[in-house]
Structures are given as structure tokens and as C-alpha cells.
Amino acid sequence: MTVHPFIEAEKQAGHSVKRACELMKVSRTAFYARRSGLPGPRAVRDAELTKQIVEVHAKSRGTYGAPRVHAVLMREGAGCGRRRVARLMQAAGLQGRHRRRRHLTTIPDPRAAFRPDLIVRDFQPDRTGLDARWCGDITYIPTEEGWLYLATVIDIASRRVVGWATADHLRTELVADALTAACRQRRPTRPVIFHSDRGCQYTSQQFAALATQFRVRLSVGRTGQCWDNALAESFFSTIKRELLDTSAWPSRAAARTAITATELLKYKLSWTTACTNELRCSASEILQLACVNCENVNYPALGQGPSSSRPASCPEWATAVSSTYASP
């Protein structure tokens, strides 16, 4: 605790500075040096970091907390600790988004047929394995009209949302529409594994028949194990924190419009939000994730899948390569 503000108050009140310094056991020289001196190197550095933190926080639309802001600063070359970032964010009145209380959407069917887990928590990105493994899940959005439910289909290889659907119910038609949208958009040329939880929508006979029609092999995780579908859970955590929980939605149509317009469903995931192991990507993972924006989705003819090659002139890919090999 510093005593200089007390001495300053005594001085403003017309009392003796000498007597106040003697009582507080500090020298008058130190008091006047602090009173009239320039900010120290640490204070100057704190001001610079605060400015950078405010910019990063604003770019994230007010969603990033101290860990993710610290990760961005470290990637930009700003040497600082996470606790220092947390202290400066608190002093500036900044904080990240927090999740609301969870609403139950996974209702298992005890009579459902057994299906194996073909993913086994292997959600590593693979730029050569597009349209080979998908995963999906259902989440909820509260509106003034009632719940709006969102079902997604994500390509594990590229982190792209390749299909999605919304509805005001939790019937099988919701997940069936999402899978149909994914198959019609991507048009895979080989059987695809689709991984989900054991919700009754995904284990129903109707969904199994649709999967057979599209040559999709169904895979399910264990009951009560969210880590078995970690990629889908991570995506929902991000979109809720950065979009769906940022405001109250007056209607289902308003929420649906916001979801349609969000960049997360336009396949423009940043490196920080794209990786399931957030903030701890290795150099090889960054190389694999860096170019999700320019993954080719050109379909020259019906039945031909997307090309896995990337244009050599892609600036994001070149930046990722150069920054990765330049790192120690």
C-alpha cells in the first residue's frame, strides 16, 4: 500500500508535508520525485499493452477473455504474461463472454440399436481427408417466441460447417435436414462417417434410412461423454459465446437471420476458434488449419467432390508457412 496519496491529501489540506512524511516514515525527496516525475518503464509498458488489449477485444466483438487475448498478443509478438493481461483487462473494465446455464437437448433412446464409435476422439485436422469424416450435434437458442434449435454438420478435416438446419422442435427432421444439406452441398464421392451423440434423433430409424440413402456410416459416442463429440461441442461453445449469447432475440426469425449472417457459418473461422484444442495449436496444426478459408469448394460437375489442393498464391497459407518456420 502506498502512502503518497495520503501525504498528498495532507498537503492539499494545508498541513505540513514534513510532518506527514515523518509519520509515514518516508522521505520528502521520494514523495516529491513521485509527485512530479514521469511514469516508470512498467507503467509505460502497461499503457501500451492496454491499447493492444482493447484493440484485440474489440476485434473479437467483446467475446475474448484474458486467455484468448493473451494468445493473440503472444502470436503478434507481444511478450507478456496471462496474469498481467487479466490485470490490465480488469483495470480497463473488459471481460469475455460467459456461457449461460445449459439446456438439455440430448435425450437417449434406450431401445435404439447399437452403433460403434468410429472416431474414438480423433478430431485431428487433415487437409487430405476432406469429406471422409463429419460430426454433428444440436444446440438451442432462447428467443422471446420460444426455443430455436440448431443442428450442424462439420467436416472434421477442415473444421467447415458443411450443413446446418434450424427448427422450433427436436424431432428427427431437424438433424435429417442438416445432413441432407451437407450431402447436397459437398456431394462426397466416397462413403462418409458421420459422428454424433446418442440422442434419439441420431439413433432413430428415420435418420438411419436417410444415412443409408446418402451412403453415410453412422458413428455415435458414449452416453454422458461430451468429449466423444468434442469438435461439435467446441463449435457450439464458440458460436454461443461470440454470437448467440450476446443479445436477447425477439423472434426465431431474428436468431435464424443472425446465424445465417455470421462468419462462423460462412466458413471463415479464425485460427483461435477453429482449433478444438484452443490456444494450444502446434505449428503443424496451424499449417493444417490456416487455409480453411480458401479450401476449394468448386463442383465442376454433379458427383465430383471438392479439390483438396490450395492455390499457391493464397496469402493466408503463405503467411502461416512463413510464420511457422520463422518461429523458434
Side-chain angles (χ1 to χ4, degrees):
M1 175 181 177
T2 179
V3 298
H4 291 162
F6 173 78
I7 300 175
E8 181 67 28
E10 290 294 299
K11 176 178 173 60
Q12 296 297 328
H15 300 152
S16 171
V17 173
K18 178 181 178 182
R19 181 58 179 164
C21 290
E22 290 174 350
L23 291 174
M24 295 299 167
K25 298 181 179 180
V26 297
S27 65
R28 284 185 294 169
T29 303
F31 167 70
Y32 283 112
R34 182 183 179 93
R35 187 169 183 264
S36 59
L38 297 175
R42 184 172 178 82
V44 173
R45 180 56 179 161
D46 282 351
E48 295 174 353
L49 284 175
T50 300
K51 183 178 179 180
Q52 292 179 277
I53 289 171
V54 171
E55 292 177 356
V56 173
H57 191 263
K59 288 181 180 178
S60 71
R61 302 185 300 278
T63 60
Y64 282 10
R68 300 179 79 180
V69 171
H70 175 255
V72 175
L73 292 178
M74 292 297 291
R75 193 164 62 233
E76 293 177 352
C80 59
R82 185 173 63 85
R83 292 185 179 180
R84 188 177 189 180
V85 172
R87 174 176 61 83
L88 295 178
M89 288 186 65
Q90 184 178 10
L94 303 177
Q95 63 179 355
R97 300 285 182 186
H98 302 283
R99 290 288 305 277
R100 297 180 180 178
R101 188 172 61 181
R102 185 178 180 184
H103 175 68
L104 182 64
T105 57
T106 303
I107 305 174
D109 183 0
R111 299 170 298 176
F114 173 78
R115 293 194 180 98
D117 185 350
L118 303 176
I119 301 298
V120 198
R121 299 190 184 182
D122 181 13
F123 297 103
Q124 291 297 324
D126 181 9
R127 53 197 175 97
T128 63
L130 300 176
D131 295 330
R133 301 183 305 157
W134 295 346
C135 68
D137 202 356
I138 306 173
T139 193
Y140 58 92
I141 302 101
T143 71
E144 295 181 8
E145 292 182 345
W147 296 107
L148 177 68
Y149 298 97
L150 168 66
T152 58
V153 178
I154 302 174
D155 191 328
I156 297 177
S158 65
R159 270 45 177 175
R160 283 196 171 205
V161 180
V162 295
W164 62 282
T166 57
D168 58 357
H169 58 78
L170 276 173
R171 296 192 295 272
T172 305
E173 288 82 357
L174 172 63
V175 295
D177 290 343
L179 182 62
T180 301
C183 292
R184 289 179 176 175
Q185 177 178 331
R186 303 293 282 192
R187 298 173 183 172
T189 58
R190 55 182 174 177
V192 181
I193 296 175
F194 178 75
H195 183 75
S196 67
D197 56 28
R198 290 189 178 273
C200 58
Q201 299 88 353
Y202 292 109
T203 58
S204 65
Q205 294 181 357
Q206 178 183 348
F207 191 73
L210 180 67
T212 302
Q213 177 184 345
F214 286 116
R215 296 195 306 161
V216 174
R217 300 172 60 192
L218 296 181
S219 166
V220 295
R222 292 169 294 176
T223 303
Q225 296 291 334
C226 61
W227 299 277
D228 287 355
N229 202 13
L231 179 56
E233 297 286 355
S234 177
F235 174 79
F236 282 151
S237 175
T238 300
I239 194 174
K240 282 192 172 186
R241 183 173 57 250
E242 299 189 2
L243 174 68
L244 300 179
D245 289 350
T246 58
S247 61
W249 303 105
S251 63
R252 294 187 180 96
R256 187 180 295 109
T257 301
I259 294 171
T260 305
T262 181
E263 292 186 350
L264 290 173
L265 289 180
K266 287 182 179 180
Y267 322 131
K268 296 182 180 178
L269 295 170
S270 67
W271 297 350
T272 305
T273 57
C275 181
T276 40
N277 193 19
E278 289 183 357
L279 310 181
R280 292 182 292 276
C281 292
S282 65
S284 60
E285 288 173 330
I286 291 177
L287 280 176
Q288 291 170 332
L289 289 174
C291 210
V292 293
N293 292 351
C294 66
E295 172 194 315
N296 294 340
V297 285
N298 300 319
Y299 300 102
L302 185 63
Q304 294 187 5
S307 170
S308 61
S309 62
R310 287 166 169 78
S313 59
C314 173
E316 292 172 305
W317 186 258
T319 302
V321 173
S322 60
S323 62
T324 300
Y325 285 99
S327 60

